[in-house]
Amino acid sequence: MIDKKVMISLKNITKKFGHATVVNQLNLDIYEGEMLTLLGSSGCGKSTTLNMITGSLTPDNGEIHIRGNDLTHVPSHKREIGLVFQNFALFPHMTVFEIVEFPLKIRKENKKERKVKVMEMLRLVQLDHLAERYPRELSGGQQQRVGLARALIYQPKVVLFDEPLSNLDAKLREELRFEIMNLKDKLKFTSIYVTHDQEEALTLSDRIAVMKNGVIQQLGTPLEIYNEPQTPFVADFVGISNKIVGQCVGKDNGHASIQMDGFQLRGLVKHDEIQNGDKVIIFIRPEDIQFGNECSTKENTLQGEVRNIVFSGERKECMVGVAEGETIRLYMNKQSDIAIGQGLFVHLPSDSCKIFKFFANE
Amino acid sequence: MNPITHSIRAVRTGKKVVIYAFLLGFALFILSPFAVIIVSAFGEGWFGARWLPESWGIRWFQWAFQMTDLVQVTMNSFVIAALTIVISLLIGVPTAWAIGKRKLRAKELLIALILLPRMIPELTYALGTAKIFYTLDLINTHLGVALAHSTITIPYVVLIMSATFEALEQRVIDAGGVCGANWFQRFLYLVIPMSMPGILAAVIFVFVTSFNEFTLSMMTYGPQTVTLPIQTYLSIGDGYKEVASAISVILLIPSILILGVIVKQIKPENLSGGVKGL
């Protein structure tokens, strides 16, 4: 992005519910045309942040600017943003047509134009044949398409998504994910997408903000978030990782040697300050692990035994026991004929082993 | 036949007999007063200990119209019921909104206060009301009777509507806000249609209660505001039981019509999320 125009700007916003600080001095700029995802588990403050942008909550502190205007205390019906809800929140007494027409009706648009626009939008979300149906007569996926159409019909510059796919089953989720991407390409809106589903976040977003306890842990592109987690929380939360706990026994330019019970690994230290003797945790992704029947290099290679194999369709997931109480998860080709009980050498490339200070989850 | 299946059958038949006997008894218990009223309204020459009248006709209805100002009386009943509906909704709906949707302190106390007129003996309440109405010159006005009726119908409206509002999904109303609707538009286009089953139930309840109300009408009516129940009572007092029966048959009609509407229209599946076409 060369010409980065800030569309939404959250300035130092804080929200407390009673004594609990749900969002803590959050600063975030969202650029025009981008899709930014707030990713986190429940209670991390992502939905509260979204609700403050829509106007259903007011921040205790800080300001919300949309297109340069301070909207912190503007009621939600004057904010001109689109919102897609997790539970669809369709008007139960209206037909699909009437629901999508509603924002235009409120804006007192000409009735004929309204009809043309609504039908065009319904075609876009492939619902034109269901215009006369009521929400209760539609499937979940169709209902959320109505939700999308209602949010987009008045061409808002900003569209917010509040876990829009989490009430749908896996197949539909993926289908609608691509539909949202297509609609975004066509209509060119700026969007904030709230989800706890990291796969959704990785596939949909231009940038991801990983949140925990009301604070952004890391902000970056999906690639950065996945490959270069800056905190152990992000490393743990996004994607699947092997976690190995040990003690730092030596350091040399950016790398550290970690002693575990019965074996030693070398890994990359990037974001945490680590001293000799510190308790640390190593993250390594299953897909980065190499394996074979022979030992090619000595460093970071462990001998183990296949304990369990799970076939997941696209691949085989293999648990290899490498030491007392330590198993390593790795992925194999689905055709591979490795059997349980078989001996195996696993190599954990030192640049894929990311070392952080040990943290207790919660 | 196997003796066991035989005895099971016998028990089943026995059960059925008992159930039908109960149902029949219940129906008799509920319906026999109606039957008596209808027979005495349409029967002519029904004297002594005879089971049924000698002949049938509409003489008592003709008498009713000749002896009393029945058209005016019926009108009074409808006007008062309509006024009661308006007053009850105007006061009851906002109260119900506050109770159902807002966080209120001492909510239980407030509900108790609203229910109070229903809890104390109606006659006691009516007596006090009459006293106040004489002072305020509200006796013998439609508004006065309607106000008196409202004291007992408002609790129903508040109870029905607060439950209705409580069940409304806030997210859906919020969605209207994001779409650009201000609070008035949200109320008009979303809250009211979505609450329609509750509103309808409340209106029916208020109408029936007001239309049939006797005690409060008795204490607040005047020559210009005689209602159907009062006229029925007056006719009995005058010694014309058959005329009174004819008037009570007329009094029954709206309630029976409404019962038909309830049975046909208000189905449980319609109660969640708006009645179609309303």
Side-chain angles (χ1 to χ4, degrees), chain A residues 205-246:
Chain A
S205 338
D206 296 311
R207 285 193 302 160
I208 298 175
V210 183
M211 285 183 76
K212 190 199 175 191
N213 296 338
V215 177
I216 294 179
Q217 291 264 321
Q218 187 176 350
L219 176 66
T221 64
L223 224 60
E224 285 165 5
I225 296 282
Y226 191 81
N227 289 335
E228 289 295 328
Q230 286 171 6
T231 69
F233 173 79
V234 175
D236 191 25
F237 189 75
V238 180
I240 291 165
S241 290
N242 288 292
K243 288 177 274 184
I244 307 163
V245 178

Side-chain angles (χ1 to χ4, degrees), chain A residues 71 74-81, chain B residues 177-178 180-182:
Chain A
L71 296 183
V74 171
S76 67
H77 68 269
K78 287 185 184 154
R79 292 195 181 192
E80 292 288 320
I81 52 184
Chain B
V178 177
N182 60 34

Side-chain angles (χ1 to χ4, degrees), chain A residues 228 254-256 266-270 350-356:
Chain A
E228 289 295 328
H255 286 73
R266 234 167 84 81
L268 212 56
V269 185
K270 235 179 179 175
S350 61
D351 283 349
S352 303
C353 291
K354 302 198 168 74
I355 301 172
F356 293 94

